[in-house]
Amino acid sequence: MSKEMLKNLIELVPENDIDVLYKVIIKFIPEVKPEPDEIEAIEAGRKDRIENGTVSHEAIDWD
């Protein structure tokens, strides 16, 4: 079976079953263990968010 054929089959799946299909496909993708620097960056981001909070989109001057 080609990737193109698989894509065409996915197009036939009803919209309300897409979540189920997604969960099944994800099971076949190997999980990659994060690198130490990735874990460090995530922890730094969490610490920064706790200490400094976040800014809402409305509070940003986009112009």
Side-chain angles (χ1 to χ4, degrees):
M1 178 182 294
S2 68
K3 286 184 180 182
E4 190 64 34
M5 186 181 290
L6 185 57
K7 289 177 189 177
N8 292 335
L9 288 172
I10 290 172
E11 291 294 323
L12 297 174
V13 175
E15 192 68 34
N16 57 342
D17 290 332
I18 291 293
D19 189 50
V20 174
L21 181 60
Y22 172 79
K23 289 176 182 176
V24 170
I25 291 173
I26 290 298
K27 296 283 185 188
F28 291 97
I29 300 173
E31 191 172 318
V32 178
K33 186 175 181 182
E35 297 291 326
D37 62 330
E38 294 172 316
I39 294 172
E40 185 178 318
I42 292 169
E43 289 172 351
R46 287 178 179 160
K47 181 181 178 209
D48 182 71
R49 190 181 70 235
I50 289 168
E51 292 174 357
N52 301 309
T54 59
V55 177
S56 71
H57 284 149
E58 292 79 25
I60 298 172
D61 180 12
W62 296 96
D63 296 320

